[in-house]
C-alpha cells in the first residue's frame, strides 16, 4: 500500500518531466531549399552525330563508350584510389561525431575508487582553542583519546556518480541534427570525389587512345612523306628534278617526324596518370595499355535529363544543402544556450577508514537532487554566438544558390562545347577529304611534269595538318562528353553501400576497402 501511494504521488512529477522532455526545440526548423532551375536545357541540338536527349541519365555513363577496358579501369580505380579512401574515412569520422552528439541525450555514469592518507590538523585546532589546557592532568585516558583522534587516518572510498542534463530546449537534439547533416555532407563529399575520379579515369584513358590515334595518323603521313622523298630522289637522279626539291621533301619528312615525340610523351603521361588513379605506382599499367586501340566511338544518343533533377543528382549541390541544414541546426544550439539548464545529479558509495568495513551497509553515503544553472552575464558572448550562427546560416544559403547556378552553367557550357566540337569534326572530315583529293592530283601532275614540286609539298603539308586537327577534334569531342557527364553529376548512385572502416579503441583502424 505504501509503495502504491508513492507511485501515485510521483505520477504528476513524471508526467511533468515527460512533457518537458518532449518540448519543442528552440531555433528554426530546417526547410529544404527550392532550387531555381529552367524548364529545359538551352543547347540541345536537333541534328548531331551524338545527340543529347532530355531523358534519364545512366549512372554508369562511361559504359556508353562500349570499351570493356575503360569499364575495368574505372572499377579498379573505385576500389583502389587513395583519395577516395580518404573521403570514406571522413565519413567514418562524421559517423563517430554523430554518435558523440547522440550520447548527450543519455545520463553519464562514472565510477571512482580512492585510498588516501589524511592529516586534518585537528590537534592544532584543539590546542589553539585551549582544549588541552583545560584538561585535568589527572585524566590521561581523555588526553590519550584526543591524541588518537588527531592522528593521520586512512580513508577508503568507492562511489558511482551520475549526471543527466535534461534537454529542455532541444540543445542536444539540435546538436544531433547538425551532426547528422554533417555526416550527410561527408557522404556527399565522397560522392563528389567519386564522380571526379570516374571522370578523371575516363579523361586520361581517352587522352591515351587519342594520343595513340594521332601518332598512327602521323606515322601514316610520315610514310607518305618518305615515299615522296624517294620519288623526288629518283627523279633527281634521272635529271628530272633539282636538288632543291629533294631537300624540300627531306625537310617535310623531318618536320613530321619532329611532331611524334610530343604525342609519345602524352601516351606515357596518360598511362602514368591512370596508374596513380588506380592507387598504383607509375608504369604499373604499361603492359596493359601499351597495345594501341582505337579511340572509342561516341554514343548515338546522350541522355542528359532535365534541369529540375540536377539539384538532386549533383553531389556538390547536395553537399551544399547538407551544410545549410547543419548551419540551421546550429542556430538552435546557440539559442538554447541563452536559457537555463536543469541537471539531475546523484552519487552513492561507501566510505570508511577501515577497508575491511566497506562491505558494511552502515558505511554507505549518497546524495541526489536537481541542479539549475541560469546564464546571467556572459559579456555578450551568448548573444554574439546566436548572431554568428545566423550569419553562417545565411552564408550557407547563398552558397547553395551559387552552387546551383554554377552547376547549371557547367552543364550548359558542356553542351555548347559538345555540340560545337562535333560540328568541327564534321567540317574537318570534309576538309581532309578535299585536301586528300588535292594532294593526289598534285602528286599525279608532278609525276607527269604538269606542276611543280612545291604544289605537292604544300598539299601534303596541309593534308597532314588537317588530319591531325581532325583527330584532335575527335579526342576533344570525347573529352567534352566526359565533361558533360561530370557536370550532370551522375556516377555515384550505384556505389552507396561502401563499407566504412572500423576503428579499434586500442589499435589502428582496419584498412578501408
Amino acid at each position: 500500500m505504501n509503495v502504491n501511494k508513492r507511485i501515485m504521488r510521483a505520477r504528476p512529477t513524471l508526467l511533468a518531466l515527460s512533457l518537458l522532455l518532449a518540448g519543442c526545440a528552440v531555433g528554426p526548423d530546417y526547410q529544404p531549399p527550392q532550387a531555381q532551375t529552367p524548364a529545359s536545357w538551352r543547347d540541345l541540338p536537333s541534328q548531331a552525330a551524338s545527340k543529347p536527349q532530355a531523358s534519364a541519365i545512366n549512372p554508369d555513363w562511361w559504359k556508353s563508350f562500349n570499351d570493356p577496358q575503360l569499364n575495368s579501369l574505372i572499377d579498379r580505380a573505385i576500389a583502389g584510389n587513395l583519395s577516395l579512401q580518404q573521403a570514406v574515412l571522413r565519413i567514418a569520422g562524421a559517423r563517430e561525431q554523430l554518435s558523440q552528439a547522440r550520447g548527450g541525450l543519455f545520463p553519464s555514469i562514472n565510477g571512482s575508487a580512492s585510498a588516501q592518507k589524511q592529516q586534518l590538523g585537528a590537534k592544532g585546532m584543539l590546542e589553539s582553542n585551549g582544549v588541552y589546557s583545560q584538561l585535568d592532568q589527572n585524566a590521561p585516558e581523555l588526553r590519550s583519546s584526543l591524541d588518537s583522534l588527531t592522528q593521520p587516518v586512512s580513508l577508503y572510498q568507492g562511489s558511482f556518480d551520475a549526471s543527466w542534463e535534461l534537454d529542455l530546449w532541444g540543445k542536444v537534439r539540435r546538436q544531433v541534427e547538425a551532426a547528422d547533416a554533417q555526416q550527410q555532407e561527408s557522404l556527399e563529399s565522397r560522392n563528389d570525389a567519386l564522380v571526379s575520379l570516374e571522370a578523371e579515369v575516363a579523361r586520361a584513358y581517352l587522352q591515351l587512345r587519342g594520343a595513340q590515334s594521332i601518332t598512327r595518323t602521323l606515322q601514316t603521313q610520315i610514310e607518305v612523306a618518305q615515299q615522296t622523298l624517294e620519288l623526288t630522289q629518283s627523279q633527281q637522279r634521272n635529271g628530272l628534278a633539282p636538288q632543291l626539291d629533294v631537300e624540300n621533301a627531306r625537310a617535310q619528312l623531318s618536320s613530321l617526324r619532329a611532331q611524334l615525340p610530343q604525342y609519345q610523351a602524352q601516351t606515357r603521361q596518360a598511362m602514368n596518370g591512370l596508374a596513380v588513379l588506380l592507387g598504383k605506382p607509375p608504369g604499373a599499367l604499361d603492359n596493359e595499355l601499351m597495345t594501341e586501340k582505337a579511340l572509342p566511338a561516341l554514343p548515338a544518343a546522350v541522355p542528359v535529363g532535365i534541369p529540375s533533377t540536377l539539384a538532386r543528382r549533383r553531389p556538390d549541390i547536395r553537399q551544399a544543402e547538407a551544410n545549410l541544414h547543419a548551419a540551421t541546426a546550429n542556430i538552435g544550439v546557440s539559442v538554447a544556450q541563452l536559457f537555463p539548464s536543469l541537471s539531475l545529479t546523484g552519487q552513492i558509495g561507501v566510505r570508511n577508514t577501515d577497508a575491511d568495513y566497506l562491505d558494511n551497509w552502515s558505511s554507505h553515503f549518497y546524495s541526489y537532487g536537481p541542479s539549475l544553472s541560469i546564464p546571467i552575464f556572459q559579456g555578450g558572448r551568448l548573444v554574439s554566438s546566436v548572431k554568428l550562427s545566423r550569419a553562417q546560416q545565411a552564408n550557407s544559403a547563398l552558397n547553395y544558390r551559387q552552387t546551383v547556378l554554377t552547376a547549371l552553367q557547367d552543364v550548359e557550357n558542356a553542351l555548347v562545347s559538345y555540340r560545337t566540337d562535333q560540328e568541327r569534326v564534321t567540317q574537318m572530315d570534309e576538309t581532309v577529304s578535299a585536301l586528300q583529293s588535292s594532294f593526289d592530283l598534285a602528286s599525279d601532275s608532278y609525276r607527269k611534269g604538269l606542276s611543280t614540286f612545291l604544289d605537292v609539298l604544300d598539299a601534303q603539308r596541309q593534308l597532314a595538318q588537317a588530319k591531325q586537327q581532325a583527330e584532335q577534334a575527335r579526342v576533344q569531342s570525347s573529352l567534352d562528353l566526359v565533361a558533360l557527364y561530370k557536370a550532370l553529376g551522375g556516377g555515384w548512385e550505384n556505389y552507396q553501400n561502401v563499407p566504412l572502416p572500423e576503428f579499434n579503441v586500442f589499435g589502428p583502424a582496419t584498412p578501408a576497402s
Side-chain angles (χ1 to χ4, degrees):
M1 291 294 294
N2 292 334
V3 174
N4 292 334
K5 289 180 180 179
R6 290 176 183 176
I7 294 176
M8 292 296 293
R9 285 196 293 266
R11 281 183 178 178
T13 303
L14 295 174
L15 179 60
L17 181 60
S18 300
L19 291 175
L20 284 174
L21 292 176
C24 296
V26 297
D29 293 328
Y30 175 70
Q31 299 294 332
Q34 298 297 323
Q36 300 298 322
T37 58
S40 60
W41 303 115
R42 298 177 62 251
D43 210 291
L44 290 180
S46 58
Q47 300 294 330
S50 178
K51 181 181 177 182
Q53 297 177 345
S55 55
I57 71 170
N58 180 11
D60 299 332
W61 53 264
W62 55 90
K63 294 182 179 179
S64 63
F65 286 102
N66 294 318
D67 191 314
Q69 193 167 34
L70 174 59
N71 300 341
S72 173
L73 288 171
I74 288 182
D75 288 340
R76 284 180 282 167
I78 293 173
N81 184 261
L82 301 182
S83 297
L84 188 60
Q85 292 182 20
Q86 290 176 341
V88 173
L89 285 174
R90 286 192 288 271
I91 299 176
R95 176 191 61 185
E96 300 307 324
Q97 289 177 344
L98 177 59
S99 298
Q100 289 179 359
R102 286 174 176 166
L105 293 170
F106 302 97
S108 61
I109 302 175
N110 300 300
S112 64
S114 64
Q116 298 177 338
K117 193 77 170 180
Q118 294 184 353
Q119 171 56 271
L120 302 179
K123 186 174 183 179
M125 289 187 287
L126 293 173
E127 290 179 347
S128 65
N129 287 277
V131 174
Y132 275 90
S133 63
Q134 296 177 11
L135 292 176
D136 189 348
Q137 295 294 331
N138 297 323
E141 296 84 1
L142 182 57
R143 181 180 295 272
S144 176
S145 298
L146 287 177
D147 288 342
S148 63
L149 291 175
T150 58
Q151 295 300 313
V153 297
S154 297
L155 182 63
Y156 303 94
Q157 177 174 314
S159 65
F160 289 97
D161 303 317
S163 176
W164 185 20
E165 181 179 350
L166 303 182
D167 192 24
L168 301 180
W169 316 110
K171 176 184 175 181
V172 178
R173 280 170 283 168
R174 291 301 191 193
Q175 288 175 336
V176 171
E177 182 182 355
D180 189 37
Q182 289 167 350
Q183 182 186 35
Q184 184 64 31
E185 183 181 1
S186 299
L187 177 61
E188 300 304 338
S189 177
R190 190 287 307 264
N191 291 340
D192 194 37
L194 181 59
V195 171
S196 297
L197 173 63
E198 293 162 351
E200 287 301 315
V201 173
R203 181 179 179 85
Y205 182 78
L206 294 173
Q207 287 176 331
L208 167 65
R209 297 310 181 196
Q212 291 176 340
S213 178
I214 296 175
T215 299
R216 287 195 301 271
T217 300
L218 269 175
Q219 289 172 340
T220 300
Q221 294 303 307
I222 288 172
E223 292 175 0
V224 174
Q226 180 67 42
Q227 295 172 2
T228 302
L229 174 60
E230 294 173 355
L231 173 63
T232 308
Q233 289 173 335
S234 174
Q235 291 187 337
Q236 190 272 338
R237 286 193 296 269
N238 295 325
L240 300 177
Q243 183 64 30
L244 178 61
D245 289 353
V246 175
E247 298 304 325
N248 285 334
R250 183 176 287 110
Q252 181 84 329
L253 176 61
S254 299
S255 176
L256 291 171
R257 285 174 174 169
Q259 298 178 45
L260 275 178
Q262 64 173 319
Y263 296 107
Q264 293 171 343
Q266 289 180 11
T267 299
R268 300 291 301 187
Q269 291 167 354
M271 289 191 294
N272 291 338
L274 284 169
V276 173
L277 287 172
L278 268 64
K280 300 179 180 296
L285 302 178
D286 286 1
N287 293 334
E288 176 184 351
L289 300 175
M290 188 63 71
T291 302
E292 294 185 3
K293 292 181 63 176
L295 183 70
L298 299 177
V302 179
V304 296
I306 56 178
S308 61
T309 63
L310 185 65
R312 306 312 311 159
R313 187 172 58 247
R314 272 196 49 147
D316 58 340
I317 298 179
R318 295 164 61 91
Q319 184 180 0
E321 182 180 349
N323 184 53
L324 175 59
H325 190 173
T328 304
N330 283 330
I331 295 178
V333 175
S334 61
V335 171
Q337 293 175 347
L338 299 172
F339 295 90
S341 61
L342 178 63
S343 298
L344 301 179
T345 60
Q347 183 183 36
I348 186 171
V350 291
R351 181 190 300 130
N352 205 294
T353 57
D354 188 350
D356 294 335
Y357 211 73
L358 289 178
D359 58 351
N360 191 298
W361 181 243
S362 62
S363 298
H364 84 283
F365 67 93
Y366 66 87
S367 65
Y368 65 90
S371 174
L372 182 66
S373 176
I374 303 175
I376 297 176
F377 179 75
Q378 298 289 335
R381 180 178 60 85
L382 299 182
V383 175
S384 295
S385 177
V386 175
K387 292 180 179 179
L388 175 61
S389 60
R390 290 190 181 279
Q392 292 173 338
Q393 192 260 3
N395 180 70
S396 297
L398 291 176
N399 179 65
Y400 174 82
R401 292 174 57 188
Q402 183 61 51
T403 304
V404 172
L405 291 176
T406 301
L408 292 171
Q409 180 186 23
D410 290 344
V411 176
E412 292 288 1
N413 288 347
L415 285 170
V416 171
S417 297
Y418 191 52
R419 174 180 58 81
T420 55
D421 282 331
Q422 284 192 86
E423 293 174 355
R424 186 167 178 264
V425 169
T426 301
Q427 294 167 359
M428 289 306 305
D429 286 343
E430 294 175 356
T431 301
V432 167
S433 179
L435 289 175
Q436 183 66 57
S437 298
S438 176
F439 174 69
D440 293 340
L441 290 172
S443 298
D444 186 62
S445 297
Y446 176 67
R447 291 188 183 93
K448 297 177 179 178
L450 301 177
S451 64
T452 65
F453 186 65
L454 290 177
D455 295 334
V456 177
L457 288 180
D458 186 58
Q460 186 181 58
R461 177 182 57 79
Q462 293 185 48
L463 177 61
Q465 291 178 349
K467 285 190 173 183
Q468 289 182 52
Q469 291 173 357
E471 289 300 325
Q472 290 171 346
R474 285 187 173 84
V475 174
Q476 189 58 50
S477 293
S478 298
L479 298 179
D480 290 340
L481 181 55
V482 173
L484 175 58
Y485 277 123
K486 182 181 179 182
L488 291 169
W492 55 269
E493 296 88 339
N494 294 334
Y495 297 92
Q496 292 306 288
N497 298 322
V498 177
L500 298 180
E502 294 295 336
F503 294 92
N504 188 334
V505 176
F506 303 103
T510 58
S513 60

